[in-house]
Amino acid sequence: MNKIELKEFLEAKVEEYNHPRFIETDPIQIPHQFSKKEDIEIAGFLTATISWGNRKSIITNANKMMTLLNQSPFDYVMNHEASDLEKLRPFVHRTFNEDDLIQFIKSLNHIYKNHGGLEAVFSKYSEEFSTQNAIHQFKKHFFEIEHLTRTQKHVSDPSKNSAAKRINMFLRWMVRDDNNGVDFGIWKSLTPAQLSCPLDVHSGNVARALGLLKRKQNDAKALKELDLALRKLDINDPVKYDFALFGLGVFERF
């Protein structure tokens, strides 16, 4: 395919998968249970954090998290007591366990009380066409309070050559707003032009098959290469093609 044909092909796939029915089988359904901005972003952040492995398991365990947080994640983060945190101890999703969840609640409390919230941190450090430095700075703030060393592995860092798939996915959820009812678009201080594609094994393989990506590893260098290719197709909303790459990989085994 030439560039025009490739763009038309991907645009058609975006239209096919960027649809409310996408929510039914995707972890994004968890933050869609809420209407308050802070509930949406906290539910989204926690859900994105455990979004690896079987999608049904992700959704099941993300729902368990919301139940443990009394279906009011922001209120829980801001007003919990030490005894409340002990009630989180039944939780586990793969290598993310109850100690990690407790640490995340403490760190989120710190982010909202001392840094103005999740949006404020990412907005402060984002660049014209990148949020990768913002992800790095966010991780520094997230763990600047006393924390468990083991929990650091659950927040990726582009400066350590990570593609940071889960945080980039979370940022897509919060920032994109195309009136299709999938992504939320509740963060108005950032634009889709700043976002990066959530690069994983599925989107990476499809991107290589389509000639959008040559690097074999799914790391920060590959993400930069893919970003540049997608921005040539749509500089204002390059991450919309995540729907096409993901859909082709997961649903069509492209």
PDB file of all heavy atoms in Angstrom, residues 46 67 70 74 98 108 138-139 150 160 170 176 193 199 204-205 223 227-228 236 246-247:
ATOM      1  N   LEU A  46      -6.056   3.307  37.651  1.00  0.00           N
ATOM      2  CA  LEU A  46      -5.900   2.013  38.320  1.00  0.00           C
ATOM      3  C   LEU A  46      -6.190   0.859  37.363  1.00  0.00           C
ATOM      4  O   LEU A  46      -5.498  -0.163  37.377  1.00  0.00           O
ATOM      5  CB  LEU A  46      -6.814   1.942  39.542  1.00  0.00           C
ATOM      6  CG  LEU A  46      -6.452   2.869  40.708  1.00  0.00           C
ATOM      7  CD1 LEU A  46      -7.528   2.810  41.790  1.00  0.00           C
ATOM      8  CD2 LEU A  46      -5.087   2.513  41.301  1.00  0.00           C
ATOM      9  N   THR A  67     -14.968  -2.086  43.778  1.00  0.00           N
ATOM     10  CA  THR A  67     -15.780  -2.522  44.924  1.00  0.00           C
ATOM     11  C   THR A  67     -15.039  -2.273  46.228  1.00  0.00           C
ATOM     12  O   THR A  67     -15.620  -1.773  47.205  1.00  0.00           O
ATOM     13  CB  THR A  67     -16.122  -4.023  44.800  1.00  0.00           C
ATOM     14  OG1 THR A  67     -16.907  -4.214  43.608  1.00  0.00           O
ATOM     15  CG2 THR A  67     -16.938  -4.497  45.990  1.00  0.00           C
ATOM     16  N   ASN A  70     -15.238   1.161  47.425  1.00  0.00           N
ATOM     17  CA  ASN A  70     -16.619   1.582  47.723  1.00  0.00           C
ATOM     18  C   ASN A  70     -17.294   2.291  46.546  1.00  0.00           C
ATOM     19  O   ASN A  70     -18.180   3.128  46.752  1.00  0.00           O
ATOM     20  CB  ASN A  70     -16.649   2.486  48.972  1.00  0.00           C
ATOM     21  CG  ASN A  70     -16.081   1.796  50.198  1.00  0.00           C
ATOM     22  OD1 ASN A  70     -16.247   0.595  50.381  1.00  0.00           O
ATOM     23  ND2 ASN A  70     -15.394   2.557  51.032  1.00  0.00           N
ATOM     24  N   PHE A  74     -12.332   8.444  44.121  1.00  0.00           N
ATOM     25  CA  PHE A  74     -11.733   9.713  44.539  1.00  0.00           C
ATOM     26  C   PHE A  74     -11.955   9.958  46.022  1.00  0.00           C
ATOM     27  O   PHE A  74     -11.021  10.342  46.747  1.00  0.00           O
ATOM     28  CB  PHE A  74     -12.310  10.868  43.718  1.00  0.00           C
ATOM     29  CG  PHE A  74     -11.735  12.213  44.081  1.00  0.00           C
ATOM     30  CD1 PHE A  74     -10.385  12.475  43.920  1.00  0.00           C
ATOM     31  CD2 PHE A  74     -12.547  13.224  44.585  1.00  0.00           C
ATOM     32  CE1 PHE A  74      -9.841  13.717  44.261  1.00  0.00           C
ATOM     33  CE2 PHE A  74     -12.029  14.462  44.921  1.00  0.00           C
ATOM     34  CZ  PHE A  74     -10.676  14.713  44.758  1.00  0.00           C
ATOM     35  N   GLU A  98      -1.916  -6.637  46.862  1.00  0.00           N
ATOM     36  CA  GLU A  98      -2.559  -5.701  47.788  1.00  0.00           C
ATOM     37  C   GLU A  98      -1.602  -4.629  48.297  1.00  0.00           C
ATOM     38  O   GLU A  98      -1.999  -3.476  48.510  1.00  0.00           O
ATOM     39  CB  GLU A  98      -3.169  -6.460  48.974  1.00  0.00           C
ATOM     40  CG  GLU A  98      -2.175  -7.202  49.849  1.00  0.00           C
ATOM     41  CD  GLU A  98      -2.001  -8.657  49.455  1.00  0.00           C
ATOM     42  OE1 GLU A  98      -2.154  -8.985  48.279  1.00  0.00           O
ATOM     43  OE2 GLU A  98      -1.708  -9.463  50.356  1.00  0.00           O
ATOM     44  N   LEU A 108      -1.538   8.293  45.101  1.00  0.00           N
ATOM     45  CA  LEU A 108      -2.569   9.106  44.460  1.00  0.00           C
ATOM     46  C   LEU A 108      -3.039  10.226  45.390  1.00  0.00           C
ATOM     47  O   LEU A 108      -3.266  11.365  44.967  1.00  0.00           O
ATOM     48  CB  LEU A 108      -3.754   8.241  44.042  1.00  0.00           C
ATOM     49  CG  LEU A 108      -3.544   7.402  42.768  1.00  0.00           C
ATOM     50  CD1 LEU A 108      -4.650   6.357  42.626  1.00  0.00           C
ATOM     51  CD2 LEU A 108      -3.502   8.293  41.523  1.00  0.00           C
ATOM     52  N   PHE A 138       6.022  12.241  36.217  1.00  0.00           N
ATOM     53  CA  PHE A 138       4.920  11.729  37.029  1.00  0.00           C
ATOM     54  C   PHE A 138       5.396  10.604  37.939  1.00  0.00           C
ATOM     55  O   PHE A 138       5.065  10.572  39.130  1.00  0.00           O
ATOM     56  CB  PHE A 138       3.785  11.229  36.139  1.00  0.00           C
ATOM     57  CG  PHE A 138       2.749  10.424  36.889  1.00  0.00           C
ATOM     58  CD1 PHE A 138       1.829  11.042  37.721  1.00  0.00           C
ATOM     59  CD2 PHE A 138       2.715   9.033  36.781  1.00  0.00           C
ATOM     60  CE1 PHE A 138       0.886  10.298  38.433  1.00  0.00           C
ATOM     61  CE2 PHE A 138       1.784   8.289  37.481  1.00  0.00           C
ATOM     62  CZ  PHE A 138       0.869   8.917  38.306  1.00  0.00           C
ATOM     63  N   LYS A 139       6.175   9.691  37.402  1.00  0.00           N
ATOM     64  CA  LYS A 139       6.671   8.582  38.218  1.00  0.00           C
ATOM     65  C   LYS A 139       7.520   9.095  39.378  1.00  0.00           C
ATOM     66  O   LYS A 139       7.415   8.593  40.501  1.00  0.00           O
ATOM     67  CB  LYS A 139       7.480   7.601  37.376  1.00  0.00           C
ATOM     68  CG  LYS A 139       7.982   6.408  38.185  1.00  0.00           C
ATOM     69  CD  LYS A 139       8.578   5.322  37.325  1.00  0.00           C
ATOM     70  CE  LYS A 139       8.966   4.114  38.189  1.00  0.00           C
ATOM     71  NZ  LYS A 139       9.476   2.984  37.375  1.00  0.00           N
ATOM     72  N   ARG A 150       9.287  -2.392  45.495  1.00  0.00           N
ATOM     73  CA  ARG A 150       8.717  -3.332  44.538  1.00  0.00           C
ATOM     74  C   ARG A 150       7.610  -2.716  43.684  1.00  0.00           C
ATOM     75  O   ARG A 150       7.385  -3.116  42.549  1.00  0.00           O
ATOM     76  CB  ARG A 150       8.163  -4.576  45.240  1.00  0.00           C
ATOM     77  CG  ARG A 150       7.065  -4.322  46.276  1.00  0.00           C
ATOM     78  CD  ARG A 150       6.144  -5.534  46.451  1.00  0.00           C
ATOM     79  NE  ARG A 150       5.198  -5.681  45.345  1.00  0.00           N
ATOM     80  CZ  ARG A 150       4.984  -6.814  44.686  1.00  0.00           C
ATOM     81  NH1 ARG A 150       5.650  -7.902  45.026  1.00  0.00           N
ATOM     82  NH2 ARG A 150       4.098  -6.872  43.701  1.00  0.00           N
ATOM     83  N   LYS A 160      13.752   5.003  30.870  1.00  0.00           N
ATOM     84  CA  LYS A 160      14.410   3.700  31.024  1.00  0.00           C
ATOM     85  C   LYS A 160      14.124   2.822  29.792  1.00  0.00           C
ATOM     86  O   LYS A 160      14.234   1.600  29.849  1.00  0.00           O
ATOM     87  CB  LYS A 160      13.906   3.008  32.294  1.00  0.00           C
ATOM     88  CG  LYS A 160      14.137   3.805  33.581  1.00  0.00           C
ATOM     89  CD  LYS A 160      15.613   3.874  33.921  1.00  0.00           C
ATOM     90  CE  LYS A 160      15.852   4.711  35.178  1.00  0.00           C
ATOM     91  NZ  LYS A 160      15.232   4.161  36.385  1.00  0.00           N
ATOM     92  N   PHE A 170      -3.885   5.062  29.126  1.00  0.00           N
ATOM     93  CA  PHE A 170      -4.626   5.892  30.074  1.00  0.00           C
ATOM     94  C   PHE A 170      -4.726   7.323  29.577  1.00  0.00           C
ATOM     95  O   PHE A 170      -5.805   7.944  29.634  1.00  0.00           O
ATOM     96  CB  PHE A 170      -3.936   5.842  31.436  1.00  0.00           C
ATOM     97  CG  PHE A 170      -4.383   6.909  32.402  1.00  0.00           C
ATOM     98  CD1 PHE A 170      -5.658   6.892  32.940  1.00  0.00           C
ATOM     99  CD2 PHE A 170      -3.519   7.940  32.767  1.00  0.00           C
ATOM    100  CE1 PHE A 170      -6.077   7.877  33.825  1.00  0.00           C
ATOM    101  CE2 PHE A 170      -3.925   8.917  33.657  1.00  0.00           C
ATOM    102  CZ  PHE A 170      -5.207   8.897  34.189  1.00  0.00           C
ATOM    103  N   ARG A 176      -8.317  12.223  24.492  1.00  0.00           N
ATOM    104  CA  ARG A 176      -9.022  12.211  23.204  1.00  0.00           C
ATOM    105  C   ARG A 176     -10.523  12.458  23.402  1.00  0.00           C
ATOM    106  O   ARG A 176     -11.136  11.903  24.297  1.00  0.00           O
ATOM    107  CB  ARG A 176      -8.831  10.885  22.473  1.00  0.00           C
ATOM    108  CG  ARG A 176      -7.483  10.676  21.847  1.00  0.00           C
ATOM    109  CD  ARG A 176      -7.502   9.518  20.849  1.00  0.00           C
ATOM    110  NE  ARG A 176      -8.168   9.889  19.611  1.00  0.00           N
ATOM    111  CZ  ARG A 176      -9.358   9.431  19.237  1.00  0.00           C
ATOM    112  NH1 ARG A 176     -10.036   8.586  19.990  1.00  0.00           N
ATOM    113  NH2 ARG A 176      -9.900   9.816  18.081  1.00  0.00           N
ATOM    114  N   ALA A 193      -2.681  15.688  19.929  1.00  0.00           N
ATOM    115  CA  ALA A 193      -1.424  15.800  19.178  1.00  0.00           C
ATOM    116  C   ALA A 193      -0.215  15.446  20.043  1.00  0.00           C
ATOM    117  O   ALA A 193       0.854  15.097  19.523  1.00  0.00           O
ATOM    118  CB  ALA A 193      -1.272  17.215  18.620  1.00  0.00           C
ATOM    119  N   LEU A 199       1.824   1.135  22.685  1.00  0.00           N
ATOM    120  CA  LEU A 199       2.519   0.102  21.908  1.00  0.00           C
ATOM    121  C   LEU A 199       2.647  -1.191  22.694  1.00  0.00           C
ATOM    122  O   LEU A 199       3.248  -1.218  23.769  1.00  0.00           O
ATOM    123  CB  LEU A 199       3.907   0.613  21.503  1.00  0.00           C
ATOM    124  CG  LEU A 199       4.819  -0.366  20.760  1.00  0.00           C
ATOM    125  CD1 LEU A 199       4.183  -0.805  19.445  1.00  0.00           C
ATOM    126  CD2 LEU A 199       6.185   0.268  20.528  1.00  0.00           C
ATOM    127  N   GLY A 204       2.236  -3.516  17.845  1.00  0.00           N
ATOM    128  CA  GLY A 204       3.582  -3.559  17.279  1.00  0.00           C
ATOM    129  C   GLY A 204       3.663  -4.472  16.070  1.00  0.00           C
ATOM    130  O   GLY A 204       4.229  -4.106  15.036  1.00  0.00           O
ATOM    131  N   ASN A 205       3.095  -5.655  16.185  1.00  0.00           N
ATOM    132  CA  ASN A 205       3.138  -6.602  15.074  1.00  0.00           C
ATOM    133  C   ASN A 205       2.384  -6.084  13.859  1.00  0.00           C
ATOM    134  O   ASN A 205       2.824  -6.231  12.717  1.00  0.00           O
ATOM    135  CB  ASN A 205       2.567  -7.955  15.512  1.00  0.00           C
ATOM    136  CG  ASN A 205       3.495  -8.706  16.457  1.00  0.00           C
ATOM    137  OD1 ASN A 205       4.691  -8.395  16.535  1.00  0.00           O
ATOM    138  ND2 ASN A 205       2.958  -9.672  17.180  1.00  0.00           N
ATOM    139  N   LEU A 223       8.523   3.160  19.982  1.00  0.00           N
ATOM    140  CA  LEU A 223       7.386   4.060  20.135  1.00  0.00           C
ATOM    141  C   LEU A 223       7.641   5.382  19.415  1.00  0.00           C
ATOM    142  O   LEU A 223       6.752   5.911  18.741  1.00  0.00           O
ATOM    143  CB  LEU A 223       7.108   4.320  21.621  1.00  0.00           C
ATOM    144  CG  LEU A 223       5.901   5.211  21.914  1.00  0.00           C
ATOM    145  CD1 LEU A 223       4.608   4.520  21.493  1.00  0.00           C
ATOM    146  CD2 LEU A 223       5.847   5.563  23.399  1.00  0.00           C
ATOM    147  N   ASP A 227       5.404   6.751  16.495  1.00  0.00           N
ATOM    148  CA  ASP A 227       4.806   8.084  16.638  1.00  0.00           C
ATOM    149  C   ASP A 227       5.045   8.933  15.388  1.00  0.00           C
ATOM    150  O   ASP A 227       4.131   9.593  14.881  1.00  0.00           O
ATOM    151  CB  ASP A 227       5.402   8.807  17.854  1.00  0.00           C
ATOM    152  CG  ASP A 227       4.730   8.425  19.155  1.00  0.00           C
ATOM    153  OD1 ASP A 227       3.680   7.751  19.109  1.00  0.00           O
ATOM    154  OD2 ASP A 227       5.244   8.804  20.218  1.00  0.00           O
ATOM    155  N   LEU A 228       6.273   8.933  14.915  1.00  0.00           N
ATOM    156  CA  LEU A 228       6.619   9.744  13.741  1.00  0.00           C
ATOM    157  C   LEU A 228       5.832   9.285  12.517  1.00  0.00           C
ATOM    158  O   LEU A 228       5.341  10.105  11.734  1.00  0.00           O
ATOM    159  CB  LEU A 228       8.121   9.641  13.470  1.00  0.00           C
ATOM    160  CG  LEU A 228       9.035  10.355  14.484  1.00  0.00           C
ATOM    161  CD1 LEU A 228      10.495  10.026  14.208  1.00  0.00           C
ATOM    162  CD2 LEU A 228       8.820  11.863  14.448  1.00  0.00           C
ATOM    163  N   ASN A 236      -2.608  15.882  14.101  1.00  0.00           N
ATOM    164  CA  ASN A 236      -3.447  16.385  15.191  1.00  0.00           C
ATOM    165  C   ASN A 236      -3.993  15.292  16.107  1.00  0.00           C
ATOM    166  O   ASN A 236      -4.289  15.549  17.270  1.00  0.00           O
ATOM    167  CB  ASN A 236      -4.616  17.200  14.621  1.00  0.00           C
ATOM    168  CG  ASN A 236      -4.156  18.466  13.928  1.00  0.00           C
ATOM    169  OD1 ASN A 236      -3.305  19.183  14.448  1.00  0.00           O
ATOM    170  ND2 ASN A 236      -4.703  18.735  12.752  1.00  0.00           N
ATOM    171  N   PHE A 246      -4.837  -1.992  17.164  1.00  0.00           N
ATOM    172  CA  PHE A 246      -5.301  -2.938  18.182  1.00  0.00           C
ATOM    173  C   PHE A 246      -6.384  -3.850  17.617  1.00  0.00           C
ATOM    174  O   PHE A 246      -6.340  -5.072  17.805  1.00  0.00           O
ATOM    175  CB  PHE A 246      -5.836  -2.170  19.396  1.00  0.00           C
ATOM    176  CG  PHE A 246      -6.310  -3.066  20.511  1.00  0.00           C
ATOM    177  CD1 PHE A 246      -5.413  -3.606  21.418  1.00  0.00           C
ATOM    178  CD2 PHE A 246      -7.664  -3.381  20.652  1.00  0.00           C
ATOM    179  CE1 PHE A 246      -5.851  -4.431  22.452  1.00  0.00           C
ATOM    180  CE2 PHE A 246      -8.097  -4.202  21.670  1.00  0.00           C
ATOM    181  CZ  PHE A 246      -7.181  -4.738  22.573  1.00  0.00           C
ATOM    182  N   GLY A 247      -7.348  -3.276  16.926  1.00  0.00           N
ATOM    183  CA  GLY A 247      -8.445  -4.065  16.362  1.00  0.00           C
ATOM    184  C   GLY A 247      -7.954  -5.084  15.351  1.00  0.00           C
ATOM    185  O   GLY A 247      -8.371  -6.255  15.375  1.00  0.00           O
TER     186      GLY A 247
END
